[in-house]
Amino acid sequence: MPYVMVHIPKPPAASPVPRAVPTSADVARLAGVSRATVSYVLNNTSAVRISEPTRRRVHEAAKELGYVPHAAARSLRAGHSRMVLMPAPAIAMGPLHGQFINELQWALSRLDYTVVQYGTAGLRGDEAARAWAELRPVAVLVPDAELGPEGVSVLKRAGARAVVTFGPERVEGAHALLMDHDAVGHCAGRHLYARGRRRIGVVVPEEAGLERYSRPRLEGVRQALHGTDARVTAVPLAYTEQSAAELAARWPESGIDAVFAYNDEYAMLLMRALQDMGVRVPEDTAVLGADDLMLGRLLRPRLSTIHIALPSGRELAELVDRVVQDPGAEPETHRVLGASVVQRESS
């Protein structure tokens, strides 16, 4: 009788049984308290007095079990979330903006809000607002976005109690922090003119998205020098060494004797290229930046700059909290972005 070899495969190993997600009831059992007490402790409810030993037991039990409160369930109970949404900027904003955002996030966390940065992935304006609304934030902070009144309405209908924009113009229905970039350029123009400069260049970055800041700064310089004997020239510059080197090679024929370089980073880039071409700073060309970054103080010559006073993160966090508590209040408008010259050696 012929024999046939048959290979019987081993059965696949059983998948491990997933561990059950710990609940507040599990925490309550381990801590020996009620579920209401767990809720009061983990949600930092101040209306109910809980002894410190009980609080410790609840926190230790939650840590041992790996339990964290369910944000969505907490939002349903409260009627709103504690999420503050900020669209992630589509362009590099620089160290000054990063410092402001860090301070704002810290201040909001102290008020028991969670800040979430949202990548819009190409969405803009009211279309972006609909995407933000899906997350049901209690507040939305929109830096220089093209948000219209319809977008503000969409966010409020979805439960956002506070919509705050910070940019050059206010949006109907939203609280506004108005950023006056013209004032930065005006300050720069007055300073360079007072230093005896009459052929003044203003760097206009070629990077997409920066025109919303560079155009007002250029216009501010022009306004400051209107009616004087000074000439203002827009100077396009990409943020690359090659672009700066090419511009520096043409510099002597331009006749420019001073340049407001948009910000400190562009100023440092251009100043290095000018010096490599033998252009003396400030003897041949004065250079002025903006933002007052630490690196500018380490250059030789030290970089003159415009110090920009952004609103404090604490003040903005307090505005958000105030509006969340009183969402029906009339929208507030605050003018911010003070500008002052810090004169050093480059001008």
Side-chain angles (χ1 to χ4, degrees), residues 95-96 99 264-265 268 290-303 305 307 344:
L96 190 66
Q99 178 182 336
D264 285 356
E265 292 171 299
M268 290 185 277
D291 289 351
D292 194 14
L293 302 183
M294 173 62 76
L295 280 176
R297 308 174 202 181
L298 306 180
L299 296 182
R300 296 296 181 270
R302 293 176 176 86
L303 181 65
T305 187
H307 177 79
R344 300 193 183 103

Side-chain angles (χ1 to χ4, degrees), residues 137-157:
V138 72
V140 180
L141 309 183
V142 190
D144 293 300
E146 297 176 2
L147 183 69
E150 177 59 29
V152 175
S153 179
V154 167
L155 289 167
K156 288 186 174 181
R157 287 198 300 269

Side-chain angles (χ1 to χ4, degrees), residues 43 70-86 108 111-116 132-140 155-156 158-162 320-321 323-325 327:
N43 290 318
H70 196 294
R74 182 165 57 182
S75 300
L76 286 173
R77 288 193 298 272
H80 60 82
S81 73
R82 300 294 291 179
M83 179 199 303
V84 176
L85 186 146
M86 292 189 66
L108 284 168
L111 294 171
D112 197 30
Y113 293 97
T114 298
V115 179
V116 174
W132 306 334
E134 291 181 5
L135 298 180
R136 298 297 191 268
V138 72
V140 180
L155 289 167
K156 288 186 174 181
R161 296 188 170 199
V320 169
D321 189 51
V323 177
V324 168
Q325 302 301 327

Side-chain angles (χ1 to χ4, degrees), residues 40-62:
Y40 294 145
V41 171
L42 298 183
N43 290 318
N44 294 316
T45 302
S46 58
V48 179
R49 294 189 61 183
I50 307 291
S51 69
E52 193 55 37
T54 300
R55 287 184 181 277
R56 278 200 302 272
R57 287 207 312 275
V58 170
H59 283 296
E60 288 168 1

